[in-house]
Amino acid sequence: PRHMGRSSGGSELAMAVSPARCPDCPGPERGGDGGALSSVPHLGIAVDERDVLPGALRLMRELRPAWDPARVKTKLFTDGITNKLVACYTQEGMGDAVLVRVYGRKTELLVDRETELRNFQVLRAHGCAPDLYCAFHNGLCYQFLPGVALGPDHVREPHIFRLVAQEMARVHAIHANGSLPKPILWQKLHKYFTLVKMELSPKVSNPSLQQDMPSLELLEHELAWMKETLSQLGSPVVLCHNDLLCKNIIYDQTRERVHFIDYEYTGYNYQAFDIGNHFNEFAGVKEVDYGLYPSKETQLQWLHSYLQAYKQLTQGDRGGTEVVREELETLYVQVNKFSLASHFLWACWGLIQDKYSTIDFNFLR
């Protein structure tokens, strides 16, 4: 991100930042599945976010030198509202595809890219992320995962939402027994809100927004209330995805598994925030309908699948995987209170993106 927008004359290969160790992993910098966390190659290339294809093809000449440039096909994905994403491939069916993700303008204000890189590698070592091929000045190249990106209809289907719950438990269990740092939620909320206060509020001229948006004083009061109230709920701190909108879930029907993608906001956080944030995303992104927020009955089914998987992964044979009603109700309450913090976070995020993003999306609304 420090080199955003700056082109580089050469494509010299360097090694990106060494990954952080998993506290619970056996041996230095090794994943629980035995896979070593190695340094990621860094290509000295910057891709123009307004015209990503030439830069993506240049990256392929470095990453896939055996490919005939004339045979390389590209597919531009248009669903992203933070970054630009393009697939480069030569095989029909995209079996050899490499995804090139180009960071959006000024997203370094919102995302710590070095932390994202480390978390990507940790998730990969535990079988929860695709292969990471390289970093470049303003993006990443990684393996294309076959499957369907989910929509609000899919995540309501019991068959699929059980897979999502189990995969979230798998991510949350990665460091569940280690010494964990503080949750990133409060630091992130204060950072975003400070950006809104310092850079944006005097420049908001949209009269309908001013009518809809509470005063900065009231928002500050809400933030203080949330920190005091939510931090006392006893939700465990685990490794969270923190941005589990529908399109960040890939359903592979042939293997009957889902994978999560995009780890920009991944970090240690409250278990209930990750789940509450995901439940908010049932409402959709471009056409938002909070009538689609899951009912209590749906939530309890989802949470039961989650707790069963989480107990199995963190306790194994030492404890049963039976889920008692009391812990289910406790998690239900925690999740729906933490969903408030999710609304606050992405509201601030939307105001910041409205000022800086070049992506065609109505962030203000």
Side-chain angles (χ1 to χ4, degrees):
R2 291 188 295 274
H3 307 286
M4 276 181 86
R6 289 169 54 183
S7 63
S8 171
S11 58
E12 68 268 9
L13 194 63
M15 301 313 284
V17 59
S18 295
R21 279 191 58 182
C22 304
D24 298 330
C25 294
E29 295 185 355
R30 298 189 69 81
D33 60 357
L37 293 179
S38 58
S39 295
V40 179
H42 188 103
L43 291 170
I45 293 175
V47 176
D48 185 349
E49 62 154 337
R50 293 159 299 185
D51 186 18
V52 297
L53 292 184
L57 293 171
R58 185 179 170 203
L59 284 163
M60 291 310 104
R61 289 196 293 272
E62 299 290 332
L63 275 180
R64 298 290 184 264
W67 284 3
D68 177 0
R71 291 184 58 243
V72 177
K73 301 182 182 72
T74 59
K75 179 180 179 180
L76 192 63
F77 294 91
T78 57
D79 285 330
I81 56 173
T82 306
N83 309 291
K84 305 286 177 71
L85 188 66
V86 62
C88 299
Y89 60 101
T90 63
Q91 297 175 0
E92 292 299 325
M94 299 174 64
D96 61 348
V98 174
L99 286 178
V100 179
R101 181 153 63 92
V102 183
Y103 302 144
R105 179 175 176 265
K106 290 285 187 179
T107 50
E108 73 273 18
L109 291 171
L110 302 162
V111 179
D112 181 332
R113 295 299 180 187
E114 290 186 355
T115 300
E116 177 192 10
L117 201 58
R118 290 192 197 99
N119 288 329
F120 199 130
Q121 292 174 280
V122 168
L123 289 166
R124 173 66 196 122
H126 289 269
C128 294
D131 290 336
L132 179 59
Y133 299 134
C134 79
F136 54 95
H137 279 344
N138 58 327
L140 298 172
C141 295
Y142 51 93
Q143 177 189 13
F144 173 77
L145 292 174
V148 177
L150 298 186
D153 292 340
H154 301 114
V155 291
R156 305 171 69 79
E157 295 176 20
H159 168 64
I160 291 181
F161 77 53
R162 287 190 180 97
L163 294 176
V164 174
Q166 290 160 8
E167 184 67 11
M168 188 181 284
R170 193 175 285 116
V171 171
H172 287 182
I174 287 176
H175 296 151
N177 301 317
S179 56
L180 298 175
K182 291 179 181 178
I184 61 171
L185 179 61
W186 309 121
Q187 175 192 356
K188 189 77 80 176
L189 278 170
H190 281 290
K191 179 182 177 181
Y192 286 10
F193 186 56
T194 300
L195 282 168
V196 169
K197 282 198 300 185
M198 289 174 54
E199 299 198 33
L200 302 173
S201 54
K203 303 179 180 65
V204 172
S205 56
N206 186 320
S208 68
L209 182 77
Q210 288 178 334
Q211 189 178 356
D212 292 344
M213 188 174 156
S215 68
L216 290 172
E217 292 75 23
L218 183 56
L219 290 174
E220 197 143 27
H221 176 75
E222 285 189 8
L223 182 51
W225 175 86
M226 275 194 301
K227 185 171 183 179
E228 182 182 357
T229 306
L230 302 184
S231 58
Q232 294 178 16
L233 292 175
S235 181
V237 176
V238 294
L239 186 66
C240 293
H241 184 281
N242 291 318
D243 186 25
L244 207 57
L245 48 89
C246 300
K247 294 293 182 187
N248 280 346
I249 306 170
I250 306 298
Y251 172 49
D252 184 349
Q253 192 170 11
T254 58
R255 293 179 176 82
E256 274 306 307
R257 174 152 181 205
V258 298
H259 284 95
F260 302 159
I261 58 171
D262 289 358
Y263 317 112
E264 294 181 293
Y265 303 95
T266 298
Y268 293 101
N269 210 348
Y270 297 103
Q271 175 192 56
F273 174 87
D274 215 14
I275 302 171
N277 183 75
H278 175 58
F279 286 172
N280 281 341
E281 299 294 357
F282 276 49
V285 176
K286 293 192 175 177
E287 299 298 328
V288 177
D289 177 6
Y290 281 106
L292 297 176
Y293 189 83
S295 65
K296 181 171 184 179
E297 181 187 359
T298 299
Q299 289 189 51
L300 291 177
Q301 291 176 24
W302 197 106
L303 295 171
H304 190 278
S305 294
Y306 169 86
L307 281 171
Q308 244 183 351
Y310 186 71
K311 284 184 159 190
Q312 179 64 46
L313 289 160
T314 55
Q315 299 174 17
D317 298 332
R318 290 180 287 112
T321 58
E322 184 185 353
V323 178
V324 298
R325 184 75 186 187
E326 186 181 2
E327 62 185 339
L328 197 57
E329 286 286 346
T330 297
L331 183 55
Y332 168 78
V333 170
Q334 291 172 338
V335 161
N336 287 277
K337 289 188 175 183
F338 268 99
S339 71
L340 303 176
S342 162
H343 284 308
F344 195 103
L345 181 102
W346 297 117
C348 292
W349 177 92
L351 289 169
I352 297 163
Q353 287 281 58
D354 178 68
K355 176 170 181 179
Y356 292 115
S357 179
T358 60
I359 290 170
D360 181 21
F361 184 79
N362 191 344
F363 291 100
L364 210 53
R365 283 280 20 119

